[in-house]
Amino acid sequence: MRGKKIIIGVCGGIAAYKIPQLVRLLKKRGACVRVALTDAGARFVSELTLATVSEEPLYRNIFPPTESEGVDYTRHISLGEWADALVIAPATANTLARLSAGLCDDMLAAIFLTLRPGKPVLIFPAMDGQMFLSPSVQRNIATLAAQGCSIVTPESGELASGICGIGRMPEPETLVAALEEALHERALSSPLYGKKVVVTAGPTREKIDGVRFISNYSSGKMGFAIARAAVERGALVTLITGPVHLSTPPGVERVDVESTAEMNAAAEGFFGSCDLFIGAAAVSDYRPAAPYEGKMKKDDEHIELRLVKNPDILAGFGRQKSASQLAVGFALETRTGLESARKKLTEKNLDLIAFNFFDRKTCGFDVDTNILTLIGSDGVATELPQLTKDEAAGKLLDAIEQRCLNNGL
Ligand SMILES: Cc1cc2nc3c(=O)[nH]c(=O)nc-3n(C[C@H](O)[C@H](O)[C@H](O)COP(=O)(O)O)c2cc1C
């Protein structure tokens, strides 16, 4: 649960009183929890309580409170991307109907509609027994189940009305266990589950002298997104990174390096043992032949800096990989560089290459989005639209999973 981003949708049912406790249990396990509250839900449990225990703002109205400058107009669609899982508890008859009909009239409904495919949705219906068994509620439940939602049947027992019957929401501990199982199941179903994955990320620094270096604008965001996505699919991930300002994704083993030679040495240590090697680092192709000891003086009108070639880490892995290992690389080229990406794929003996270009606005270095074209060793190219780097990482791993399945790995 550590580091998992969970959204709890709380509807207008009596069982909403159990949700602050659920939030606390999830947070204790290291999850980051945000709550989307329906208007009716706010009559049963206070916004203040939920905001306090979650330590996050509450999400309720789809419209921003003010329409002045600085308002995030994508807020209603961004949470669906943010979340690793959505839990709707208690799910009222009314909200089951709204969601099965595809309505988008509050934040909870918007999150439901924009949640990324494959992310678990756990729905805990809680209501009067007759209501639960009514054909309309059962039809809506069946529709949501057919869409891939996990519907957790309510327990039988004494209900808020005093009547005994089916309809009671399980205790928060049971909800936590169901969520843990759903997240685990998702990982278990991935061909990457239990695989040893090495990802390189970020720039490298090549020393000119004691205080100066050659580097590039790489932020490491793409490689970190890949490492995060691989862990979510149950992989055992080692992330070898150059100097970046990013925190380590939970569950990832991080190795910090500075130069390409250091990255190469660190990577080589995993060449024999990893199942998948993903080279997302923007390593320097060349390094100064003889870095100056101390600080170079500016006495000379001209200086010459002789550069020598660095080792090609990915090609090194490609040369020695076995039939059960996969090599995946990135080719950062100009906009028209698809052919040189194809050439790299063949020359470096890769299984997949992600061609991308850079404009410093929508793709490439140091931005939050990317536009990838994935080219397989069979020559088939798949163009992806502009996506966040997290989404792009997901698509890349989908393609890798497909290769694992095709190759029986
Ligand atoms: C005291 C009271 C308790 C309620 N409990 C439930 C409940 O447990 N389950 C349910 O589906 N609806 C229950 N309702 C009805 C919902 O609050 C109502 O349908 C509301 O429109 C749901 O809105 P929402 O789905 O947007 O949260 C209750 C209503 C009242 C007045």
Side-chain angles (χ1 to χ4, degrees):
M1 202 60 85
R2 182 151 300 280
K4 286 278 177 283
K5 293 172 278 186
I6 312 295
I7 296 184
I8 307 178
V10 183
C11 310
I14 294 285
Y17 79 89
K18 297 180 179 177
I19 301 306
Q21 176 62 4
L22 171 65
V23 175
R24 293 195 64 205
L25 291 177
L26 291 173
K27 285 194 58 90
K28 259 194 193 158
R29 284 167 166 72
C32 178
V33 183
R34 293 183 179 173
V35 177
L37 188 63
T38 67
D39 282 347
R43 304 190 62 155
F44 293 84
V45 59
S46 91
E47 269 197 30
L48 185 62
T49 305
L50 291 167
T52 306
V53 291
S54 67
E55 299 173 285
E56 292 277 342
L58 250 275
Y59 296 89
R60 190 164 155 187
N61 199 319
I62 210 163
F63 298 101
T66 57
E67 289 178 21
S68 54
E69 230 178 286
V71 170
D72 176 9
Y73 293 104
T74 60
R75 194 183 71 122
H76 67 294
I77 49 172
S78 60
L79 280 168
E81 187 205 324
W82 176 86
D84 293 317
L86 172 63
V87 176
I88 304 179
T92 53
N94 183 58
T95 287
L96 291 172
R98 290 192 297 135
L99 300 185
S100 71
L103 296 187
C104 184
D105 52 356
D106 67 0
M107 278 299 280
L108 170 53
I111 292 164
F112 178 76
L113 291 175
T114 55
L115 194 75
R116 294 301 177 260
K119 305 281 172 166
V121 180
L122 271 76
I123 299 181
F124 292 85
M127 63 199 72
D128 165 73
Q130 283 307 319
M131 209 186 245
F132 178 70
L133 295 171
S134 78
S136 304
V137 168
Q138 288 303 312
R139 184 193 59 220
N140 293 332
I141 284 177
T143 303
L144 292 166
Q147 283 175 217
C149 301
S150 303
I151 313 287
V152 182
T153 307
E155 293 176 348
S156 292
E158 193 177 335
L159 303 173
S161 56
I163 303 169
C164 273
I166 192 166
R168 200 171 67 180
M169 193 178 87
E171 293 307 310
E173 289 77 7
T174 311
L175 270 68
V176 172
L179 179 58
E180 272 174 340
E181 201 183 310
L183 289 167
H184 187 58
E185 256 174 36
R186 173 170 152 67
L188 268 181
S189 65
S190 167
L192 293 177
Y193 184 85
K195 293 243 165 42
K196 289 186 185 144
V197 176
V198 175
V199 183
T200 64
T204 57
R205 287 179 180 174
E206 310 297 336
K207 273 193 178 133
I208 297 171
D209 65 10
V211 293
R212 303 176 180 94
F213 53 81
I214 295 173
S215 191
N216 58 60
Y217 291 111
S218 170
S219 61
K221 286 176 185 171
M222 193 68 240
F224 275 59
I226 293 168
R228 188 163 37 247
V231 164
E232 279 170 13
R233 294 173 197 224
L236 309 167
V237 181
T238 304
L239 177 62
I240 307 174
T241 179
V244 294
H245 302 283
L246 298 172
S247 48
T248 314
V252 166
E253 185 198 357
R254 174 169 172 166
V255 181
D256 285 292
V257 296
E258 198 166 301
S259 65
T260 303
E262 283 172 22
M263 188 174 277
N264 189 51
E268 276 181 342
F270 296 97
F271 278 5
S273 59
C274 71
D275 299 297
L276 167 63
F277 189 91
I278 305 177
V283 297
S284 296
D285 294 332
Y286 294 90
R287 67 178 185 280
Y292 189 84
E293 290 286 330
K295 188 179 171 212
M296 281 168 79
K297 298 280 174 228
K298 56 175 178 180
D299 301 335
D300 298 322
E301 211 47 48
H302 301 281
I303 55 163
E304 278 183 17
L305 197 59
R306 205 169 73 82
L307 303 177
V308 291
K309 213 163 191 183
N310 265 328
D312 187 324
I313 304 172
L314 199 52
F317 178 70
R319 265 195 302 277
Q320 63 89 69
K321 78 184 173 81
S322 69
S324 64
Q325 292 178 306
L326 292 180
V328 176
F330 273 75
L332 184 79
E333 307 282 346
T334 57
R335 200 176 277 265
T336 53
L338 192 67
E339 280 319 304
S340 38
R342 283 188 189 280
K343 208 163 146 242
K344 274 188 188 168
L345 173 84
T346 320
E347 283 174 0
K348 298 189 186 195
N349 190 28
L350 307 182
D351 296 278
L352 191 75
I353 198 159
F355 157 66
N356 61 340
F357 54 93
F358 52 94
D359 61 8
R360 309 227 39 213
K361 286 190 198 92
T362 60
C363 52
F365 285 153
D366 205 17
V367 289
D368 291 326
T369 54
N370 215 349
I371 304 172
L372 302 182
T373 299
L374 307 180
I375 313 166
S377 51
D378 51 7
V380 177
T382 311
E383 264 183 65
L384 300 178
Q386 182 184 328
L387 297 169
T388 65
K389 285 189 171 167
D390 278 330
E391 289 172 331
K395 295 282 181 204
L396 177 70
L397 290 190
D398 288 348
I400 295 171
E401 284 185 340
Q402 197 52 55
R403 290 201 82 80
C404 289
L405 293 172
N406 294 347
N407 298 1
L409 302 175

